[in-house]
Amino acid sequence: MKGTFTKNFNPLITFEHKRDTYGFAVRPQHLQRYREYSNIYKVEEEERSDRWEDFLERQAESAQSPVNGISEEEGNAASHTEAKIQEADTVVEKTLQEGDTIVDKTLQEADTIVENVEEASSGSKSAAEDPVENVPEQEEASAEKDTKMHKVQIWTHIRPSLISIEDMMSFRVKKRKNLLNEEQGVGRKNNLSVIEEERPSKGAPEEDSEDEFYDMERSDPVQDTSSLDNVNSSSGGDAVSPEPFFPWKVELESLVRGGVPMALRGELWQAFVGVKARRLDGYYHGLLATEVNAQSDKDFVSASNGTSKGSNTGGRCANEKWKGQIEKDLPRTFPGHPALDEDGRNALRRLLTAYARHNPSVGYCQAMNFFAGLLLLLMPEENAFWTLVGIIDDYFDGYYSEEMIESQVDQLVLEDLVRERFPKLVNHLDYLGVQVAWVTGPWFLSIFVNMLPWESVLRVWDVLLFEGNRVMLFRTALALLELYGPALVTTKDAGDAVTLLQSLSGSTFDSSQLVLTASMGYQTVNEARLQELREKHRSSVIAAMEERSKGPCVRKDSLGLASKLYSFKNDHGPLTKEANAAEGLGDLQTNGDLCPLELIGDTDADSLPDLQEQVVWLKVELCRLLEEKRSAVLRAEELETALMEMVKQDNRRQLSAKVEQLEQEVAELRQALTDKQEQERVMLQVLMRVEQEQKLTEDARRFAEQDAAAQRYAANILQEKYEGAMASLAQMEKRAVMAETMLEATLQYQSGQVKAVQSPRAVHRDSSTVQPTQEPAQDIPTRKISLLSRPFGLGWRDRNKEPIEGNINESGQSTVTLQKDTNGQQ
Amino acid sequence: MATSGNKNINAKLVLLGDVGAGKSSLVLRFVKGQFVDFQESTIGAAFFSQTLAVNDATVKFEIWDTAGQERYHSLAPMYYRGAAAAVVVYDITNQASFARAKKWVQELQAQGNPNMVMALAGNKADLPDARKVTTEEAQTYAQENGLFLMETSAKTAINVNDVFYEIAKRLSQAQQVQNPSGMVLMDRATEKATSSSCCS
């Protein structure tokens, strides 16, 4: 199975660079982002292929036993006759598919195999079915000229692994049909369901499995309430084991939310929509065959065209009307898509024509061309037809009809939800005068085709088709508003807001984020809730519709009266009271307006007097005007607050200007301060340096003084010494003079004595008295000198050393004098 | 709704007309200067915006390009409500589209903003050989109904910008007459009041 997956999407990827994997054009401004995301898509695709494969394998295992049991017994007999038809079938198919890039060949091959298996499994039923299907086809092929594509219309069954899913979903379809049957047993739909009811009787095994799925469905909480009602009415096979299917569906749901693999998408979508259960053999060909007959009618029908309004009775008349529109839209559907060549467009034409004939009350509505085109890219023509039928008739019942009432109702419902969920955003949009519906209306009508990047569109479709209702539309829209609300709030005018929302949603490439936000974040937005809200709004939409369909004359009249009433009302009381009154009236209206409107609708308008009619219109007008007034008041309040804000802002601007000025001044002052501080610092430094210098000089001075003192002191000492020396010198001199005189005196005396008595004994006596015992052997003359010189020889030598010689000479002299002296003393 | 402030006018403009008359092509030509032979069908409506400078004002157009199919008619009021200008487009090669255009004009006169500037654009003027609606016929109708007519071609760009330029000019003149001076907020409020009482 995996082989077919990869084979299937690989060739598709190699499209020209301005088209995406599906062959759709990528807008030039999104090319870059698309390239960024294409790798992510590829990875996601691989992952989900694996997951689905795993799921389907397990599914096959659990389903194998019952299916095989039947096929082996009943199928064998039928399969022989079957096989030949099948083979012929596939040959035609293959050759034609070659020219058709839409459906991959490998897929087709797989399908035909599948077909065989399936035919075998459903046994006798398909034996009766297939000849019917193929024979008229061949007849057509020979009858018509553009035979080529008609053979491609061949109905193909989906692969067996998906059959259980298909059965489950088919059951939903049958339930709806039964419901319809009960409600309105008129018209063509009745015929459809009669045939539908006959079918199960053909194959008993099918019915068995249906009952099982039936139970499963019933236990599913997501299902809509209307189906629950039906369950009670026809709970036949209640006892059949529902357990094994319950977890299975939950898993399937999460798988679908994670995305459907490209290779399986076409078939799974068919399964989801319940194509098998919807299909009537030959119905599609029958619709197209009438074309030939219609063509002959055309000439005289065209004369009366435009007058009829698509009612059931004028089926053929309306025919012409949509015919032209379809023709106009054919080339305007995915222009340039490689698969929509001449053949593709022919298929599209047939598909849309068939649908318009199938459901004349809808006919053809723009947007269906895109849906049909998309479906044709994914599946064979008739399969696409039944899928389209499922989508438009069931999922979007009342959406694309002439009045598009459900579409308008849904927008009101969405507005309610948005108001509830995003009050801030809605406030802002109200302020800008933007209605959410301006943008979301096209989203819903196109089911996001051309509104989001394709990957996201397909992911939304996956979930939408699986769930079988429009809940996913709402959830996706809410998710988009959640994602982009914050950006929208910053916009300044209506144009910017709408442009932003359009461009942001147009570049929602993160499809997984979108789908998960939508399906996980808005669980409370479910079918029951939506139905409730729809009921609430439907009456007002219908009323507005009726009003518009009345001529402008009536309207103008009522307008005049209404405006009088409005101004009258306007004079009274405070605003709040009025708002309340308006609300009260609004309620009254919603409750009561259906009755008068029905009255008008049922009875002939001419028979009623104008007055009553006008009263009704007046009421409606009044309510509308009051509502408008209320919104005007709200808007005025908003504007007032806006004004206040602006004024505040203005004040703020002035204040901030002042503050700025002051700040500047402060800054300047600060600058000055710092300058001054710096100067001070510099001054201080200078001062310190000066001080230091001063200190240095002081020190120097002190040192100098000390030096000076020391020197003075030294000088003094020297002076003293000098004086002392001088004194002692003077003393010495005196003594020397004394000694000289004494010496002279003694000399004189001696000479006198010598002359008288010359006795050497005197000298000898002298020496013996001085040294009587000590040194008798000493030289007497030296001893004499040393003895004599000692008392003043010491001082002399200390004070004057230079004149030693002189001194010695002197001392020699002085010894003499000393001797004389001592002698003189003695 | 048109609002002015410092000669900046925001004007909501709506395009109405039959299927395939060329509404989207006109807008695309005006806004992006592009033309494609097969313009994808418009579902619901599409939005564009473009700014034009006229004389002493700049007009920012908020353009709603509506779907042409008859049944989408029911959604149209949502888009033309409060619009300051409308371009009703018909295809000069298609008489039915002219009839449809007349219906639109009627509806706008009955339900639209009374001061709405309306233009009638006869598109596909590049196909004179296939012409089904004569200029005289359209001109007479336009004069009777107080519209201005221009025959345009989105394909060759003839008169396309002129239509929008003329509208912008008329809007700025109307604006000056209506409010020679005053505050933005006041303008808006009165504008809202008039628009809410005159259209649904």
Side-chain angles (χ1 to χ4, degrees):
Chain A
M1 197 55 82
K2 194 181 178 179
T4 57
F5 287 172
T6 45
K7 259 186 217 162
N8 269 325
F9 65 78
N10 271 342
L12 289 170
I13 290 168
T14 55
F15 272 123
E16 58 177 299
H17 66 286
K18 280 190 179 175
R19 297 195 166 266
D20 64 12
T21 328
Y22 307 96
F24 295 111
V26 179
R27 281 178 224 161
Q29 69 265 33
H30 293 149
L31 265 179
Q32 183 60 34
R33 290 203 63 198
Y34 174 72
R35 277 197 209 111
E36 281 168 29
Y37 271 93
S38 59
N39 288 329
I40 297 173
Y41 292 156
K42 221 180 277 177
V43 172
E44 280 184 347
E45 178 68 26
E46 276 161 27
E47 280 173 9
R48 73 172 70 106
S49 294
D50 292 343
R51 254 179 288 143
W52 276 90
E53 193 184 359
D54 175 55
F55 172 75
L56 292 177
E57 264 168 25
R58 272 183 289 127
Q59 203 54 42
E61 277 165 30
S62 63
Q64 205 115 51
S65 40
V67 172
N68 283 349
I70 299 154
S71 65
E72 241 138 274
E73 288 161 32
E74 296 184 38
N76 279 343
S79 60
H80 288 296
T81 53
E82 203 77 47
K84 284 175 193 167
I85 303 163
Q86 279 308 128
E87 268 170 39
D89 220 22
T90 50
V91 169
V92 177
E93 219 172 287
K94 263 194 237 169
T95 50
L96 289 167
Q97 295 298 327
E98 270 168 1
D100 190 350
T101 45
I102 306 165
V103 188
D104 215 58
K105 218 169 152 190
T106 48
L107 182 64
Q108 280 302 317
E109 277 168 351
D111 276 351
T112 51
I113 298 161
V114 165
E115 227 171 332
N116 281 327
V117 176
E118 217 236 346
E119 297 300 339
S121 72
S122 45
S124 57
K125 186 196 85 181
S126 48
E129 206 174 284
D130 259 62
V132 182
E133 177 190 334
N134 290 322
V135 171
E137 203 173 83
Q138 272 151 23
E139 281 171 1
E140 263 177 37
S142 54
E144 288 191 23
K145 279 200 170 179
D146 56 336
T147 49
K148 223 176 138 197
M149 287 308 289
H150 267 270
K151 280 178 242 160
V152 189
Q153 291 165 11
I154 292 163
W155 164 262
T156 45
H157 292 284
I158 62 172
R159 61 188 76 192
S161 51
L162 304 178
I163 280 173
S164 49
I165 298 173
E166 185 177 36
D167 286 341
M168 178 181 94
M169 295 301 181
S170 298
F171 194 75
R172 186 162 65 193
V173 177
K174 281 178 186 158
K175 254 184 324 194
R176 284 216 179 114
K177 287 217 169 122
N178 289 338
L179 255 183
L180 272 173
N181 240 356
E182 285 159 27
E183 281 170 5
Q184 47 167 98
V186 227
R188 190 109 125 295
K189 273 178 182 159
N190 197 13
N191 292 334
L192 270 177
S193 41
V194 166
I195 301 165
E196 201 50 45
E197 271 169 6
E198 282 168 5
R199 286 188 67 210
S201 61
K202 285 179 187 169
E206 198 176 89
E207 204 154 54
D208 280 350
S209 64
E210 265 167 25
D211 279 342
E212 283 168 359
F213 288 108
Y214 189 92
D215 290 332
M216 188 278 306
E217 284 269 303
R218 194 192 48 153
S219 50
D220 183 9
V222 188
Q223 286 305 309
D224 49 357
T225 46
S226 60
S227 68
L228 287 173
D229 298 338
N230 198 36
V231 168
N232 296 333
S233 64
S234 58
S235 49
D238 253 337
V240 191
S241 58
E243 292 87 8
F245 298 101
F246 187 62
W248 172 76
K249 167 137 190 197
V250 170
E251 190 186 351
L252 181 63
E253 188 178 16
S254 78
L255 275 175
V256 171
R257 283 176 180 172
V260 168
M262 271 187 228
L264 290 177
R265 190 164 264 140
E267 289 167 88
L268 273 171
W269 280 12
Q270 292 174 52
F272 292 164
V273 178
V275 163
K276 196 168 116 190
R278 291 177 196 280
R279 185 179 178 236
L280 299 173
D281 301 327
Y283 183 68
Y284 181 63
H285 298 294
L287 287 172
L288 290 176
T290 54
E291 191 170 17
V292 189
N293 304 330
Q295 224 119 45
S296 57
D297 296 342
K298 247 184 209 169
D299 295 329
F300 61 86
V301 164
S302 59
S304 64
N305 84 18
T307 49
S308 66
K309 276 215 166 184
S311 60
N312 289 340
T313 51
R316 284 283 173 272
C317 295
N319 194 348
E320 182 64 22
K321 194 174 158 193
W322 46 252
K323 196 94 191 149
Q325 279 166 356
I326 290 175
E327 283 309 318
K328 269 185 185 162
D329 278 342
L330 284 179
R332 301 173 68 193
T333 308
F334 308 132
H337 193 287
L340 288 172
D341 51 6
E342 193 51 41
D343 291 340
R345 307 244 170 251
N346 287 337
L348 188 59
R349 176 185 299 117
R350 281 194 299 277
L351 186 51
L352 292 172
T353 307
Y355 182 80
R357 285 186 184 145
H358 156 74
N359 190 353
S361 72
V362 172
Y364 169 70
C365 179
Q366 285 189 321
M368 277 161 55
N369 54 331
F370 292 114
F371 306 157
L374 173 60
L375 294 174
L376 276 176
L377 298 181
L378 292 167
M379 56 189 82
E381 194 176 319
E382 196 185 337
N383 300 52
F385 170 75
W386 290 107
T387 311
L388 184 69
V389 167
I391 294 171
I392 308 282
D393 285 3
D394 255 16
Y395 295 26
F396 286 81
D397 187 24
Y399 233 69
Y400 300 102
S401 59
E402 200 64 49
E403 291 81 23
M404 303 186 103
I405 286 172
E406 289 307 304
S407 156
Q408 295 177 62
V409 171
D410 270 8
Q411 286 312 310
L412 293 175
V413 171
L414 179 72
E415 196 181 329
D416 270 9
L417 292 172
V418 173
R419 270 181 201 285
E420 177 192 311
R421 295 286 178 137
F422 310 108
K424 235 183 185 175
L425 174 65
V426 172
N427 243 356
H428 183 71
L429 292 180
D430 280 351
Y431 170 66
L432 296 179
V434 173
Q435 281 184 38
V436 178
W438 290 352
V439 182
T440 54
W443 282 357
F444 278 34
L445 284 165
S446 61
I447 322 185
F448 296 106
V449 170
N450 287 345
M451 303 290 166
L452 300 177
W454 269 103
E455 183 75 18
S456 303
V457 173
L458 294 172
R459 292 285 299 275
V460 170
W461 277 60
D462 287 342
V463 179
L464 188 129
L465 295 182
F466 173 75
E467 288 179 347
N469 50 43
R470 300 195 294 270
V471 172
M472 191 57 188
L473 280 184
F474 289 88
R475 291 183 176 169
T476 309
L478 290 169
L480 284 168
L481 290 174
E482 180 187 321
L483 289 174
Y484 304 129
L488 285 179
V489 173
T490 64
T491 51
K492 296 269 187 284
D493 68 37
D496 291 350
V498 177
T499 309
L500 189 70
L501 183 54
Q502 266 191 352
S503 67
L504 282 177
S505 54
S507 58
T508 310
F509 281 94
D510 196 341
S511 51
S512 295
Q513 186 199 25
L514 177 67
V515 172
L516 289 183
T517 312
S519 47
M520 297 301 165
Y522 297 95
Q523 305 259 15
T524 53
V525 178
N526 54 31
E527 185 68 8
R529 175 89 201 284
L530 291 180
Q531 286 298 0
E532 197 180 296
L533 289 169
R534 280 178 189 137
E535 287 305 319
K536 194 178 113 193
H537 289 292
R538 192 165 287 128
S539 54
S540 64
V541 170
I542 293 172
M545 234 23 238
E546 301 262 343
E547 186 186 342
R548 232 195 326 268
S549 62
K550 299 272 167 186
C553 304
V554 178
R555 197 177 176 281
K556 274 198 170 161
D557 258 13
S558 66
L559 229 177
L561 279 166
S563 54
K564 268 178 213 162
L565 253 172
Y566 173 75
S567 51
F568 174 68
K569 245 326 216 186
N570 207 10
D571 295 335
H572 286 297
L575 297 172
T576 46
K577 245 190 189 172
E578 243 178 64
N580 289 342
E583 266 167 352
L585 269 166
D587 287 346
L588 260 177
Q589 189 220 350
T590 45
N591 294 337
D593 68 348
L594 260 181
C595 313
L597 284 176
E598 272 167 15
L599 250 174
I600 291 161
D602 291 344
T603 59
D604 198 354
D606 292 341
S607 67
L608 266 177
D610 276 353
L611 261 174
Q612 186 167 351
E613 202 171 272
Q614 284 202 352
V615 165
V616 172
W617 290 123
L618 264 172
K619 268 189 197 167
V620 174
E621 276 304 308
L622 180 64
C623 293
R624 202 174 49 76
L625 286 169
L626 284 175
E627 191 112 340
E628 268 172 20
K629 157 122 201 197
R630 192 156 40 116
S631 65
V633 166
L634 278 173
R635 176 132 176 93
E637 276 167 18
E638 267 168 28
L639 287 171
E640 230 169 89
T641 52
L643 177 67
M644 292 293 285
E645 242 169 64
M646 280 176 75
V647 168
K648 264 191 221 162
Q649 267 185 347
D650 228 42
N651 283 348
R652 243 179 274 153
R653 209 172 300 152
Q654 278 183 350
L655 281 174
S656 64
K658 258 186 201 170
V659 165
E660 240 169 68
Q661 210 179 324
L662 287 172
E663 268 175 8
Q664 210 163 0
E665 275 172 31
V666 166
E668 273 168 25
L669 285 173
R670 241 179 236 161
Q671 185 71 32
L673 195 72
T674 48
D675 281 357
K676 278 190 181 160
Q677 273 175 340
E678 205 155 323
Q679 278 180 352
E680 227 176 59
R681 211 180 306 138
V682 171
M683 291 285 280
L684 264 172
Q685 274 178 345
V686 171
L687 217 71
M688 268 159 70
R689 221 175 293 151
V690 169
E691 256 174 48
Q692 267 180 342
E693 274 168 21
Q694 245 177 3
K695 219 181 277 175
L696 275 173
T697 47
E698 186 85 4
D699 282 354
R701 194 174 58 86
R702 211 175 299 145
F703 279 131
E705 265 172 30
Q706 277 177 349
D707 273 358
Q711 276 173 359
R712 225 175 288 145
Y713 178 67
N716 279 348
I717 287 173
L718 280 173
Q719 190 78 24
E720 269 171 40
K721 276 184 185 168
Y722 171 73
E723 273 165 20
M726 286 305 274
S728 55
L729 191 66
Q731 227 177 346
M732 287 301 168
E733 272 172 9
K734 259 186 227 165
R735 273 190 199 164
V737 171
M738 258 189 359
E740 253 175 72
T741 52
M742 274 178 71
L743 189 60
E744 260 176 61
T746 43
L747 276 173
Q748 273 171 2
Y749 172 69
Q750 264 178 340
S751 60
Q753 273 220 326
V754 166
K755 278 170 189 169
V757 186
Q758 257 185 330
S759 136
R761 213 190 36 173
V763 179
H764 183 69
R765 231 191 318 184
D766 256 8
S767 61
S768 59
T769 48
V770 174
Q771 286 176 311
T773 52
Q774 277 173 341
E775 291 157 298
Q778 259 182 346
D779 192 336
I780 293 161
T782 46
R783 192 190 276 173
K784 266 185 184 168
I785 289 165
S786 65
L787 276 175
L788 281 172
S789 62
R790 188 174 281 167
F792 69 22
L794 277 167
W796 175 262
R797 236 178 268 158
D798 283 350
R799 281 162 215 177
N800 286 340
K801 285 204 175 166
E802 296 115 296
I804 279 178
E805 286 299 300
N807 276 347
I808 288 168
N809 293 338
E810 256 186 319
S811 67
Q813 269 187 334
S814 62
T815 45
V816 178
T817 54
L818 254 176
Q819 260 180 331
K820 281 177 197 168
D821 217 344
T822 48
N823 285 341
Q825 279 173 347
Q826 271 173 3
Chain B
M1 172 194 331
T3 57
S4 89
N6 303 328
K7 288 167 189 173
N8 283 333
I9 303 172
N10 281 9
K12 182 173 167 183
L13 183 150
V14 64
L15 278 111
L16 300 165
D18 202 6
V19 177
K23 298 173 292 300
S24 303
S25 294
L26 273 180
V27 185
L28 205 68
R29 171 59 80 185
F30 170 57
V31 174
K32 296 185 179 166
Q34 296 168 351
F35 178 80
V36 287
D37 282 324
F38 296 111
Q39 175 69 34
E40 293 212 326
S41 338
T42 307
I43 306 305
F47 180 82
F48 299 87
S49 95
Q50 176 75 308
T51 308
L52 267 189
V54 279
N55 303 333
D56 51 351
T58 50
V59 179
K60 182 174 175 187
F61 280 119
E62 296 161 4
I63 305 169
W64 283 102
D65 169 27
T66 62
Q69 201 184 2
E70 177 78 41
R71 68 188 66 190
Y72 280 98
H73 184 174
S74 53
L75 307 184
M78 186 164 76
Y79 295 105
Y80 69 64
R81 190 179 299 149
V87 179
V88 179
V89 186
Y90 68 94
D91 172 359
I92 65 158
T93 69
N94 182 347
Q95 186 68 46
S97 75
F98 186 58
R100 187 78 202 287
K102 286 180 182 173
K103 276 190 194 166
W104 277 120
V105 172
Q106 255 179 8
E107 178 164 345
L108 288 176
Q109 284 169 340
Q111 320 219 358
N113 177 354
N115 301 319
M116 187 185 271
V117 176
M118 262 190 266
L120 187 63
N123 200 25
K124 308 196 184 174
D126 54 292
L127 304 171
D129 297 341
R131 180 190 282 275
K132 295 278 160 50
V133 184
T134 63
T135 312
E136 294 71 40
E137 185 187 358
Q139 191 62 53
T140 317
Y141 178 77
Q143 274 169 357
E144 281 167 2
N145 289 276
L147 323 160
F148 73 87
L149 171 80
M150 277 201 190
E151 292 198 338
T152 58
S153 166
K155 192 171 186 173
T156 62
I158 289 168
N159 274 348
V160 174
N161 287 355
D162 308 64
V163 171
F164 291 94
Y165 190 79
E166 181 63 30
I167 290 173
K169 225 160 63 183
R170 292 185 182 209
L171 282 174
S172 70
Q173 281 164 4
Q175 206 73 35
Q176 277 163 0
V177 174
Q178 272 179 355
N179 0 264
S181 68
M183 285 182 63
V184 184
L185 286 172
M186 287 302 289
D187 290 351
R188 268 191 105 131
T190 52
E191 193 68 37
K192 176 71 187 176
T194 53
S195 67
S196 61
S197 61
C198 66
C199 51
S200 57

